[in-house]
Amino acid sequence: MANMRAIRTRIKSVQNTQQITKTMKMVAAANLRRTQSGMGGMRAFAEKTQSLLDTVLAGGETFDAPLLTPHRENRRVCYVLFVGNRGLCGMYNHALLRFLQRTLEQETREASVIVFGRWGRDLIKQMELPVVRTCQEVSDTPTMDQALELAEELKRLYLSGEADEVHLVYQHFRSMLAQEPTDLCLLPASAGVQGETAHDYLFEPDRASILENVVQLYVNNTVYATMLEAKVGEHASRMTAMSAATDSTAELIGTLQLHLNRARQAAITTEISEIVGGANALKLSKNKKKK
């Protein structure tokens, strides 16, 4: 009886855990749909901005654009690490942290790190990463206002000379089951694959003015697209992890239910045996008295 009581207690505990994992899966799925819908449009917008920047720079001319011009001495680099707000999302955060750690081990310049997200504060402190700032007020569905605030801070670091390069370290979203740690150099901004040539367009008022606006737009859009992509990866990883956890609890409940049925059957068999044994003993006692 005590064994059955322990099994029932365990089943109840696992059922409570299952309810929690189901709820977390539903919340992650809702956040994923909301963030992913914004990421698709923003990613296309950021790619178009990159294409526009390539077009403006296609002429090969040099421009006095501070965000495009590399510093004369490249001695300091700033890494912006995009982690999640919480754990329970598989290896999403740990893989990203290990990727940054390997990157810093190979870095020969003076490095600093800005952490964007609430996860792993104590762990990051134990790893003794050169963290100079932590942005913990991060929404599960980032807004453009948050992206602009971060983008302006990164521009300030580059223009003031506090950082000669600015890199974004995040999980590149490939699919619901696959994210890839990525190191993207944000500043100084540079052209990608140049397609169309500059003489295909007429620039008004002039190419330099347009370039300055395009560079600002490129940096802002890239930061926002990265924030959204990192969040989509986090929500997808958490939904996958919670789905696996829910399936595991269902299997465990089935196994425990089987053990409970066996224990109940054993208890019933024992009771029947005791009843039969008692009846036989009583019958034997009556026969002895008759004799």
Side-chain angles (χ1 to χ4, degrees):
M1 191 65 182
N3 187 37
M4 286 195 295
R5 186 180 295 111
I7 295 175
R8 288 194 183 97
T9 301
R10 181 75 187 282
I11 290 176
K12 183 65 175 176
S13 175
V14 176
Q15 286 175 338
N16 292 338
T17 302
Q18 185 184 53
Q19 189 63 38
I20 293 172
T21 57
K22 280 183 177 179
T23 303
M24 293 187 67
K25 177 184 175 181
M26 293 172 60
V27 172
N31 287 333
L32 175 63
R33 285 193 297 270
R34 189 159 51 246
T35 309
Q36 194 170 21
S37 62
M39 184 196 73
M42 196 62 222
R43 178 187 280 178
F45 192 24
E47 291 174 354
K48 191 63 179 177
T49 307
Q50 175 71 72
S51 176
L52 183 58
L53 179 62
D54 297 345
T55 301
V56 178
L57 292 175
E61 299 181 29
T62 57
F63 298 94
D64 186 19
L67 296 178
L68 283 170
T69 306
H71 290 177
R72 187 169 300 176
E73 293 183 353
N74 193 342
R75 297 180 301 174
R76 293 177 292 271
V77 57
C78 177
Y79 291 94
V80 184
L81 177 66
F82 292 87
V83 296
N85 285 335
R86 292 172 295 279
L88 299 177
C89 51
M91 294 300 296
Y92 177 87
N93 290 314
H94 290 280
L96 191 58
L97 196 57
R98 285 201 300 267
F99 175 77
L100 176 62
Q101 190 176 28
R102 290 195 299 268
T103 302
L104 291 175
E105 288 173 355
Q106 299 172 2
E107 184 60 68
T108 58
R109 296 165 294 180
E110 179 185 345
S112 59
V113 176
I114 296 177
V115 180
F116 201 78
R118 294 193 296 267
W119 177 86
R121 181 175 55 185
D122 295 335
L123 179 60
I124 292 174
K125 185 176 181 180
Q126 291 175 4
M127 296 177 67
E128 298 182 350
L129 298 179
V131 178
V132 295
R133 181 183 170 191
T134 301
C135 305
Q136 297 185 356
E137 299 301 323
V138 183
S139 171
D140 285 330
T141 53
T143 63
M144 191 62 184
D145 289 338
Q146 291 178 324
L148 289 176
E149 182 180 352
L150 178 60
E152 291 302 322
E153 173 65 16
L154 298 181
K155 293 174 194 173
R156 185 194 64 80
L157 289 175
Y158 184 75
L159 295 176
S160 66
E162 295 180 44
D164 299 313
E165 278 187 12
V166 177
H167 290 245
L168 306 181
V169 180
Y170 65 102
Q171 289 277 24
H172 175 58
F173 181 80
R174 292 192 175 275
S175 69
M176 292 293 295
L177 300 176
Q179 289 86 37
E180 180 183 3
T182 303
D183 177 5
L184 172 66
C185 182
L186 178 69
L187 294 172
S190 61
V193 179
Q194 297 183 5
E196 302 171 86
T197 58
H199 63 261
D200 293 329
Y201 297 95
L202 178 65
F203 298 96
E204 291 290 347
D206 57 78
R207 198 187 313 169
S209 300
I210 293 175
L211 178 62
E212 179 61 29
N213 292 326
V214 170
V215 171
Q216 295 287 338
L217 190 62
Y218 164 77
V219 174
N220 296 340
N221 290 347
T222 301
V223 171
Y224 189 34
T226 299
M227 289 173 61
L228 289 174
E229 191 166 354
K231 279 299 174 184
V232 167
E234 178 191 354
H235 297 321
S237 297
R238 182 170 294 110
M239 189 179 74
T240 302
M242 292 300 99
S243 179
T246 301
D247 294 342
S248 297
T249 55
E251 293 178 5
L252 182 56
I253 289 173
T255 302
L256 291 173
Q257 193 67 49
L258 181 61
H259 291 335
L260 178 62
N261 293 338
R262 288 176 178 174
R264 186 186 295 116
Q265 186 177 15
I268 292 173
T269 302
T270 301
E271 290 178 0
I272 292 175
S273 298
E274 291 176 350
I275 292 173
V276 172
N280 290 335
L282 183 59
K283 184 177 180 181
L284 182 62
S285 177
K286 288 181 179 180
N287 290 337
K288 285 183 179 179
K289 287 181 179 180
K290 288 180 181 181
K291 292 178 179 180

